[in-house]
mmCIF file of all heavy atoms in Angstrom:
data_model
loop_
_atom_site.group_PDB
_atom_site.id
_atom_site.type_symbol
_atom_site.label_atom_id
_atom_site.label_comp_id
_atom_site.label_asym_id
_atom_site.label_seq_id
_atom_site.Cartn_x
_atom_site.Cartn_y
_atom_site.Cartn_z
ATOM 1 N N ASN P 1 -18.962 231.111 113.230
ATOM 2 C CA ASN P 1 -20.086 232.029 113.075
ATOM 3 C C ASN P 1 -19.843 233.320 113.824
ATOM 4 O O ASN P 1 -20.285 234.410 113.444
ATOM 5 C CB ASN P 1 -21.374 231.374 113.559
ATOM 6 C CG ASN P 1 -21.842 230.296 112.569
ATOM 7 O OD1 ASN P 1 -21.576 230.367 111.378
ATOM 8 N ND2 ASN P 1 -22.553 229.268 113.067
ATOM 9 N N GLU P 2 -19.144 233.223 114.974
ATOM 10 C CA GLU P 2 -18.842 234.394 115.778
ATOM 11 C C GLU P 2 -17.939 235.358 115.055
ATOM 12 O O GLU P 2 -17.950 236.586 115.298
ATOM 13 C CB GLU P 2 -18.218 234.006 117.137
ATOM 14 C CG GLU P 2 -19.234 233.571 118.153
ATOM 15 C CD GLU P 2 -20.138 234.722 118.591
ATOM 16 O OE1 GLU P 2 -19.625 235.841 118.821
ATOM 17 O OE2 GLU P 2 -21.337 234.499 118.629
ATOM 18 N N LYS P 3 -17.102 234.812 114.127
ATOM 19 C CA LYS P 3 -16.228 235.677 113.359
ATOM 20 C C LYS P 3 -17.031 236.651 112.508
ATOM 21 O O LYS P 3 -16.736 237.836 112.358
ATOM 22 C CB LYS P 3 -15.276 234.859 112.495
ATOM 23 C CG LYS P 3 -14.250 235.690 111.775
ATOM 24 C CD LYS P 3 -13.208 234.871 111.081
ATOM 25 C CE LYS P 3 -12.137 235.685 110.412
ATOM 26 N NZ LYS P 3 -11.114 234.873 109.720
ATOM 27 N N VAL P 4 -18.106 236.097 111.913
ATOM 28 C CA VAL P 4 -18.988 236.927 111.095
ATOM 29 C C VAL P 4 -19.721 237.942 111.951
ATOM 30 O O VAL P 4 -19.855 239.129 111.623
ATOM 31 C CB VAL P 4 -20.030 236.034 110.361
ATOM 32 C CG1 VAL P 4 -21.000 236.904 109.549
ATOM 33 C CG2 VAL P 4 -19.318 235.052 109.419
ATOM 34 N N ALA P 5 -20.137 237.519 113.141
ATOM 35 C CA ALA P 5 -20.859 238.390 114.049
ATOM 36 C C ALA P 5 -19.948 239.546 114.522
ATOM 37 O O ALA P 5 -20.396 240.688 114.694
ATOM 38 C CB ALA P 5 -21.359 237.578 115.268
ATOM 39 N N ILE P 6 -18.664 239.214 114.755
ATOM 40 C CA ILE P 6 -17.734 240.245 115.181
ATOM 41 C C ILE P 6 -17.508 241.260 114.093
ATOM 42 O O ILE P 6 -17.396 242.479 114.335
ATOM 43 C CB ILE P 6 -16.387 239.618 115.607
ATOM 44 C CG1 ILE P 6 -16.536 238.978 117.040
ATOM 45 C CG2 ILE P 6 -15.269 240.601 115.646
ATOM 46 C CD1 ILE P 6 -16.664 239.948 118.150
ATOM 47 N N ARG P 7 -17.456 240.766 112.836
ATOM 48 C CA ARG P 7 -17.298 241.717 111.724
ATOM 49 C C ARG P 7 -18.471 242.648 111.624
ATOM 50 O O ARG P 7 -18.292 243.882 111.425
ATOM 51 C CB ARG P 7 -17.151 240.913 110.427
ATOM 52 C CG ARG P 7 -16.745 241.741 109.222
ATOM 53 C CD ARG P 7 -16.315 240.896 108.034
ATOM 54 N NE ARG P 7 -17.380 239.991 107.598
ATOM 55 C CZ ARG P 7 -17.269 238.653 107.609
ATOM 56 N NH1 ARG P 7 -16.195 238.082 108.087
ATOM 57 N NH2 ARG P 7 -18.252 237.906 107.177
ATOM 58 N N ASP P 8 -19.676 242.149 111.829
ATOM 59 C CA ASP P 8 -20.866 242.981 111.834
ATOM 60 C C ASP P 8 -20.864 243.938 113.023
ATOM 61 O O ASP P 8 -21.250 245.113 112.901
ATOM 62 C CB ASP P 8 -22.136 242.137 111.884
ATOM 63 C CG ASP P 8 -22.288 241.277 110.614
ATOM 64 O OD1 ASP P 8 -21.680 241.653 109.556
ATOM 65 O OD2 ASP P 8 -23.011 240.223 110.645
ATOM 66 N N ALA P 9 -20.404 243.441 114.165
ATOM 67 C CA ALA P 9 -20.377 244.308 115.366
ATOM 68 C C ALA P 9 -19.350 245.438 115.175
ATOM 69 O O ALA P 9 -19.592 246.556 115.634
ATOM 70 C CB ALA P 9 -19.995 243.457 116.572
ATOM 71 N N GLU P 10 -18.210 245.137 114.495
ATOM 72 C CA GLU P 10 -17.251 246.200 114.261
ATOM 73 C C GLU P 10 -17.845 247.288 113.360
ATOM 74 O O GLU P 10 -17.674 248.494 113.598
ATOM 75 C CB GLU P 10 -16.004 245.604 113.586
ATOM 76 C CG GLU P 10 -14.939 246.633 113.304
ATOM 77 C CD GLU P 10 -14.002 246.236 112.191
ATOM 78 O OE1 GLU P 10 -14.345 245.366 111.389
ATOM 79 O OE2 GLU P 10 -12.883 246.826 112.113
ATOM 80 N N ARG P 11 -18.569 246.871 112.314
ATOM 81 C CA ARG P 11 -19.206 247.789 111.400
ATOM 82 C C ARG P 11 -20.231 248.683 112.158
ATOM 83 O O ARG P 11 -20.266 249.909 112.004
ATOM 84 C CB ARG P 11 -19.862 247.077 110.254
ATOM 85 C CG ARG P 11 -20.415 247.985 109.150
ATOM 86 C CD ARG P 11 -21.066 247.222 108.040
ATOM 87 N NE ARG P 11 -20.178 246.264 107.421
ATOM 88 C CZ ARG P 11 -20.332 244.952 107.547
ATOM 89 N NH1 ARG P 11 -21.285 244.410 108.233
ATOM 90 N NH2 ARG P 11 -19.461 244.149 106.907
ATOM 91 N N ALA P 12 -21.039 248.028 113.053
ATOM 92 C CA ALA P 12 -22.056 248.786 113.774
ATOM 93 C C ALA P 12 -21.410 249.740 114.765
ATOM 94 O O ALA P 12 -21.862 250.879 114.922
ATOM 95 C CB ALA P 12 -22.938 247.781 114.535
ATOM 96 N N ALA P 13 -20.278 249.363 115.374
ATOM 97 C CA ALA P 13 -19.560 250.223 116.331
ATOM 98 C C ALA P 13 -19.019 251.426 115.632
ATOM 99 O O ALA P 13 -19.050 252.549 116.140
ATOM 100 C CB ALA P 13 -18.473 249.438 117.075
ATOM 101 N N ALA P 14 -18.440 251.190 114.394
ATOM 102 C CA ALA P 14 -17.925 252.319 113.626
ATOM 103 C C ALA P 14 -19.013 253.292 113.258
ATOM 104 O O ALA P 14 -18.818 254.540 113.337
ATOM 105 C CB ALA P 14 -17.182 251.761 112.395
ATOM 106 N N GLU P 15 -20.146 252.786 112.833
ATOM 107 C CA GLU P 15 -21.240 253.647 112.437
ATOM 108 C C GLU P 15 -21.739 254.475 113.635
ATOM 109 O O GLU P 15 -22.065 255.685 113.523
ATOM 110 C CB GLU P 15 -22.356 252.827 111.819
ATOM 111 C CG GLU P 15 -22.029 252.205 110.462
ATOM 112 C CD GLU P 15 -23.050 251.279 109.920
ATOM 113 O OE1 GLU P 15 -24.042 250.993 110.725
ATOM 114 O OE2 GLU P 15 -22.947 250.748 108.796
ATOM 115 N N SER P 16 -21.869 253.813 114.797
ATOM 116 C CA SER P 16 -22.302 254.513 116.014
ATOM 117 C C SER P 16 -21.303 255.613 116.364
ATOM 118 O O SER P 16 -21.691 256.727 116.769
ATOM 119 C CB SER P 16 -22.466 253.546 117.165
ATOM 120 O OG SER P 16 -23.462 252.594 116.886
ATOM 121 N N HIS P 17 -20.031 255.292 116.231
ATOM 122 C CA HIS P 17 -19.024 256.270 116.603
ATOM 123 C C HIS P 17 -19.072 257.499 115.627
ATOM 124 O O HIS P 17 -18.981 258.647 116.056
ATOM 125 C CB HIS P 17 -17.616 255.621 116.517
ATOM 126 C CG HIS P 17 -16.487 256.562 116.836
ATOM 127 N ND1 HIS P 17 -16.299 257.061 118.122
ATOM 128 C CD2 HIS P 17 -15.527 257.090 116.059
ATOM 129 C CE1 HIS P 17 -15.215 257.875 118.079
ATOM 130 N NE2 HIS P 17 -14.738 257.915 116.873
ATOM 131 N N ILE P 18 -19.250 257.207 114.341
ATOM 132 C CA ILE P 18 -19.400 258.318 113.394
ATOM 133 C C ILE P 18 -20.611 259.162 113.708
ATOM 134 O O ILE P 18 -20.622 260.382 113.584
ATOM 135 C CB ILE P 18 -19.432 257.748 111.954
ATOM 136 C CG1 ILE P 18 -18.093 257.128 111.567
ATOM 137 C CG2 ILE P 18 -19.818 258.838 110.953
ATOM 138 C CD1 ILE P 18 -18.099 256.386 110.291
ATOM 139 N N GLY P 19 -21.679 258.488 114.142
ATOM 140 C CA GLY P 19 -22.901 259.267 114.525
ATOM 141 C C GLY P 19 -22.610 260.177 115.683
ATOM 142 O O GLY P 19 -23.100 261.348 115.718
ATOM 143 N N ARG P 20 -21.805 259.740 116.672
ATOM 144 C CA ARG P 20 -21.486 260.632 117.800
ATOM 145 C C ARG P 20 -20.566 261.765 117.372
ATOM 146 O O ARG P 20 -20.670 262.886 117.903
ATOM 147 C CB ARG P 20 -20.770 259.792 118.911
ATOM 148 C CG ARG P 20 -21.756 258.871 119.632
ATOM 149 C CD ARG P 20 -21.098 258.243 120.880
ATOM 150 N NE ARG P 20 -19.985 257.380 120.546
ATOM 151 C CZ ARG P 20 -20.093 256.083 120.217
ATOM 152 N NH1 ARG P 20 -21.301 255.527 120.261
ATOM 153 N NH2 ARG P 20 -19.058 255.355 119.954
ATOM 154 N N LEU P 21 -19.705 261.487 116.356
ATOM 155 C CA LEU P 21 -18.847 262.573 115.853
ATOM 156 C C LEU P 21 -19.705 263.629 115.181
ATOM 157 O O LEU P 21 -19.495 264.847 115.320
ATOM 158 C CB LEU P 21 -17.827 262.017 114.872
ATOM 159 C CG LEU P 21 -16.703 261.126 115.441
ATOM 160 C CD1 LEU P 21 -15.827 260.623 114.320
ATOM 161 C CD2 LEU P 21 -15.875 261.911 116.455
ATOM 162 N N ARG P 22 -20.717 263.195 114.444
ATOM 163 C CA ARG P 22 -21.609 264.155 113.743
ATOM 164 C C ARG P 22 -22.404 264.987 114.764
ATOM 165 O O ARG P 22 -22.732 266.146 114.477
ATOM 166 C CB ARG P 22 -22.559 263.416 112.832
ATOM 167 C CG ARG P 22 -21.884 262.855 111.574
ATOM 168 C CD ARG P 22 -22.835 261.991 110.804
ATOM 169 N NE ARG P 22 -22.241 261.435 109.588
ATOM 170 C CZ ARG P 22 -22.719 260.423 108.864
ATOM 171 N NH1 ARG P 22 -23.906 259.862 109.258
ATOM 172 N NH2 ARG P 22 -22.119 260.017 107.793
ATOM 173 N N ALA P 23 -22.668 264.315 115.874
ATOM 174 C CA ALA P 23 -23.411 265.051 116.909
ATOM 175 C C ALA P 23 -22.542 266.068 117.658
ATOM 176 O O ALA P 23 -23.046 266.846 118.476
ATOM 177 C CB ALA P 23 -24.018 264.076 117.894
ATOM 178 N N GLY P 24 -21.227 266.018 117.395
ATOM 179 C CA GLY P 24 -20.319 267.000 117.958
ATOM 180 C C GLY P 24 -19.956 266.760 119.415
ATOM 181 O O GLY P 24 -19.642 267.692 120.127
ATOM 182 N N ARG P 25 -20.024 265.522 119.884
ATOM 183 C CA ARG P 25 -19.600 265.257 121.276
ATOM 184 C C ARG P 25 -18.094 265.430 121.428
ATOM 185 O O ARG P 25 -17.363 264.765 120.720
ATOM 186 C CB ARG P 25 -20.025 263.823 121.667
ATOM 187 C CG ARG P 25 -21.532 263.611 121.687
ATOM 188 C CD ARG P 25 -21.880 262.266 122.236
ATOM 189 N NE ARG P 25 -23.330 262.018 122.197
ATOM 190 C CZ ARG P 25 -23.899 260.920 122.596
ATOM 191 N NH1 ARG P 25 -23.159 259.921 123.093
ATOM 192 N NH2 ARG P 25 -25.228 260.791 122.577
ATOM 193 N N PRO P 26 -17.672 266.249 122.345
ATOM 194 C CA PRO P 26 -16.216 266.531 122.470
ATOM 195 C C PRO P 26 -15.393 265.291 122.843
ATOM 196 O O PRO P 26 -14.265 265.109 122.332
ATOM 197 C CB PRO P 26 -16.130 267.595 123.565
ATOM 198 C CG PRO P 26 -17.514 267.707 124.136
ATOM 199 C CD PRO P 26 -18.464 267.032 123.277
ATOM 200 N N GLU P 27 -15.909 264.421 123.746
ATOM 201 C CA GLU P 27 -15.119 263.230 124.121
ATOM 202 C C GLU P 27 -14.893 262.324 122.944
ATOM 203 O O GLU P 27 -13.834 261.738 122.755
ATOM 204 C CB GLU P 27 -15.822 262.416 125.271
ATOM 205 C CG GLU P 27 -16.446 263.247 126.370
ATOM 206 C CD GLU P 27 -17.903 263.474 126.072
ATOM 207 O OE1 GLU P 27 -18.199 264.385 125.217
ATOM 208 O OE2 GLU P 27 -18.762 262.748 126.649
ATOM 209 N N SER P 28 -15.944 262.169 122.118
ATOM 210 C CA SER P 28 -15.862 261.312 120.902
ATOM 211 C C SER P 28 -14.868 261.891 119.925
ATOM 212 O O SER P 28 -14.116 261.135 119.274
ATOM 213 C CB SER P 28 -17.230 261.135 120.287
ATOM 214 O OG SER P 28 -18.146 260.522 121.184
ATOM 215 N N ILE P 29 -14.888 263.198 119.784
ATOM 216 C CA ILE P 29 -13.958 263.807 118.818
ATOM 217 C C ILE P 29 -12.540 263.648 119.293
ATOM 218 O O ILE P 29 -11.598 263.288 118.536
ATOM 219 C CB ILE P 29 -14.260 265.322 118.653
ATOM 220 C CG1 ILE P 29 -15.666 265.476 117.980
ATOM 221 C CG2 ILE P 29 -13.185 266.015 117.814
ATOM 222 C CD1 ILE P 29 -16.164 266.898 117.938
ATOM 223 N N GLU P 30 -12.302 263.865 120.607
ATOM 224 C CA GLU P 30 -10.930 263.739 121.198
ATOM 225 C C GLU P 30 -10.386 262.312 121.088
ATOM 226 O O GLU P 30 -9.200 262.133 120.813
ATOM 227 C CB GLU P 30 -10.996 264.187 122.669
ATOM 228 C CG GLU P 30 -9.589 264.186 123.338
ATOM 229 C CD GLU P 30 -9.716 264.470 124.804
ATOM 230 O OE1 GLU P 30 -10.751 264.090 125.432
ATOM 231 O OE2 GLU P 30 -8.795 265.106 125.351
ATOM 232 N N SER P 31 -11.241 261.306 121.330
ATOM 233 C CA SER P 31 -10.733 259.957 121.357
ATOM 234 C C SER P 31 -11.129 259.126 120.157
ATOM 235 O O SER P 31 -11.120 257.911 120.179
ATOM 236 C CB SER P 31 -11.323 259.239 122.611
ATOM 237 O OG SER P 31 -12.735 259.184 122.552
ATOM 238 N N SER P 32 -11.443 259.828 119.062
ATOM 239 C CA SER P 32 -11.918 259.112 117.862
ATOM 240 C C SER P 32 -10.947 258.086 117.373
ATOM 241 O O SER P 32 -11.294 256.910 117.182
ATOM 242 C CB SER P 32 -12.219 260.139 116.754
ATOM 243 O OG SER P 32 -12.581 259.493 115.555
ATOM 244 N N SER P 33 -9.677 258.502 117.148
ATOM 245 C CA SER P 33 -8.658 257.583 116.614
ATOM 246 C C SER P 33 -8.434 256.410 117.594
ATOM 247 O O SER P 33 -8.332 255.258 117.225
ATOM 248 C CB SER P 33 -7.379 258.324 116.392
ATOM 249 O OG SER P 33 -6.370 257.467 115.992
ATOM 250 N N LEU P 34 -8.371 256.754 118.865
ATOM 251 C CA LEU P 34 -8.147 255.753 119.933
ATOM 252 C C LEU P 34 -9.284 254.719 119.944
ATOM 253 O O LEU P 34 -9.053 253.518 119.991
ATOM 254 C CB LEU P 34 -8.056 256.433 121.280
ATOM 255 C CG LEU P 34 -7.563 255.569 122.436
ATOM 256 C CD1 LEU P 34 -6.140 255.168 122.281
ATOM 257 C CD2 LEU P 34 -7.732 256.374 123.755
ATOM 258 N N HIS P 35 -10.507 255.207 119.838
ATOM 259 C CA HIS P 35 -11.694 254.306 119.839
ATOM 260 C C HIS P 35 -11.615 253.318 118.698
ATOM 261 O O HIS P 35 -11.750 252.107 118.870
ATOM 262 C CB HIS P 35 -12.942 255.190 119.725
ATOM 263 C CG HIS P 35 -14.217 254.371 119.781
ATOM 264 N ND1 HIS P 35 -15.037 254.333 120.881
ATOM 265 C CD2 HIS P 35 -14.831 253.626 118.819
ATOM 266 C CE1 HIS P 35 -16.095 253.544 120.620
ATOM 267 N NE2 HIS P 35 -15.960 253.139 119.355
ATOM 268 N N LEU P 36 -11.366 253.780 117.495
ATOM 269 C CA LEU P 36 -11.333 252.926 116.316
ATOM 270 C C LEU P 36 -10.153 251.942 116.370
ATOM 271 O O LEU P 36 -10.284 250.797 115.940
ATOM 272 C CB LEU P 36 -11.289 253.765 115.079
ATOM 273 C CG LEU P 36 -12.516 254.654 114.795
ATOM 274 C CD1 LEU P 36 -12.271 255.521 113.562
ATOM 275 C CD2 LEU P 36 -13.779 253.789 114.574
ATOM 276 N N ASP P 37 -9.011 252.426 116.887
ATOM 277 C CA ASP P 37 -7.845 251.538 116.974
ATOM 278 C C ASP P 37 -8.088 250.413 117.963
ATOM 279 O O ASP P 37 -7.638 249.262 117.732
ATOM 280 C CB ASP P 37 -6.618 252.357 117.388
ATOM 281 C CG ASP P 37 -6.082 253.239 116.295
ATOM 282 O OD1 ASP P 37 -6.450 252.974 115.135
ATOM 283 O OD2 ASP P 37 -5.271 254.112 116.564
ATOM 284 N N VAL P 38 -8.721 250.661 119.084
ATOM 285 C CA VAL P 38 -9.033 249.614 120.072
ATOM 286 C C VAL P 38 -9.963 248.554 119.428
ATOM 287 O O VAL P 38 -9.697 247.353 119.572
ATOM 288 C CB VAL P 38 -9.642 250.214 121.344
ATOM 289 C CG1 VAL P 38 -10.170 249.101 122.256
ATOM 290 C CG2 VAL P 38 -8.598 251.032 122.089
ATOM 291 N N ILE P 39 -10.990 249.030 118.798
ATOM 292 C CA ILE P 39 -11.925 248.089 118.123
ATOM 293 C C ILE P 39 -11.171 247.242 117.070
ATOM 294 O O ILE P 39 -11.362 246.038 116.969
ATOM 295 C CB ILE P 39 -13.090 248.857 117.476
ATOM 296 C CG1 ILE P 39 -13.960 249.518 118.566
ATOM 297 C CG2 ILE P 39 -13.921 247.935 116.611
ATOM 298 C CD1 ILE P 39 -14.712 248.553 119.434
ATOM 299 N N ARG P 40 -10.322 247.924 116.307
ATOM 300 C CA ARG P 40 -9.554 247.222 115.250
ATOM 301 C C ARG P 40 -8.662 246.138 115.864
ATOM 302 O O ARG P 40 -8.620 244.991 115.365
ATOM 303 C CB ARG P 40 -8.696 248.235 114.472
ATOM 304 C CG ARG P 40 -7.817 247.628 113.368
ATOM 305 C CD ARG P 40 -6.608 248.468 113.120
ATOM 306 N NE ARG P 40 -5.790 248.596 114.335
ATOM 307 C CZ ARG P 40 -4.862 249.555 114.523
ATOM 308 N NH1 ARG P 40 -4.700 250.465 113.623
ATOM 309 N NH2 ARG P 40 -4.162 249.564 115.629
ATOM 310 N N ASP P 41 -7.959 246.436 116.947
ATOM 311 C CA ASP P 41 -7.054 245.473 117.566
ATOM 312 C C ASP P 41 -7.821 244.336 118.188
ATOM 313 O O ASP P 41 -7.396 243.162 118.115
ATOM 314 C CB ASP P 41 -6.186 246.161 118.609
ATOM 315 C CG ASP P 41 -5.143 247.051 117.986
ATOM 316 O OD1 ASP P 41 -4.758 246.827 116.837
ATOM 317 O OD2 ASP P 41 -4.716 248.014 118.663
#
Protein backbone atom coordinates (compact mmCIF):
# COMPACT_ATOMS: atom_id res chain seq x y z
CA ASN A 1 0.00 0.00 0.00
CA GLU A 2 2.95 2.30 0.66
CA LYS A 3 3.99 1.87 -2.96
CA VAL A 4 0.72 3.49 -4.04
CA ALA A 5 1.17 6.21 -1.42
CA ILE A 6 4.70 6.95 -2.66
CA ARG A 7 3.40 7.26 -6.22
CA ASP A 8 0.83 9.79 -5.04
CA ALA A 9 3.46 11.62 -2.99
CA GLU A 10 5.72 11.87 -6.04
CA ARG A 11 2.90 13.37 -8.07
CA ALA A 12 2.09 15.88 -5.30
CA ALA A 13 5.78 16.84 -4.95
CA ALA A 14 6.06 17.42 -8.70
CA GLU A 15 2.95 19.61 -8.71
CA SER A 16 4.25 21.64 -5.73
CA HIS A 17 7.59 22.08 -7.46
CA ILE A 18 5.91 23.30 -10.66
CA GLY A 19 3.90 25.74 -8.56
CA ARG A 20 7.13 27.19 -7.13
CA LEU A 21 8.55 27.49 -10.65
CA ARG A 22 5.46 29.44 -11.73
CA ALA A 23 5.94 31.71 -8.75
CA GLY A 24 9.41 32.50 -10.09
CA ARG A 25 11.46 31.46 -7.06
CA PRO A 26 15.12 31.58 -8.15
CA GLU A 27 16.29 28.62 -5.99
CA SER A 28 13.53 26.43 -7.44
CA ILE A 29 14.40 27.43 -11.00
CA GLU A 30 18.13 26.78 -10.42
CA SER A 31 17.65 23.34 -8.80
CA SER A 32 14.59 22.23 -10.77
CA SER A 33 16.20 19.32 -12.59
CA LEU A 34 18.10 18.26 -9.46
CA HIS A 35 14.93 18.32 -7.34
CA LEU A 36 12.97 16.11 -9.76
CA ASP A 37 15.90 13.70 -10.24
CA VAL A 38 16.28 13.15 -6.48
CA ILE A 39 12.56 12.44 -6.11
CA ARG A 40 12.69 10.08 -9.11
CA ASP A 41 15.65 8.12 -7.68
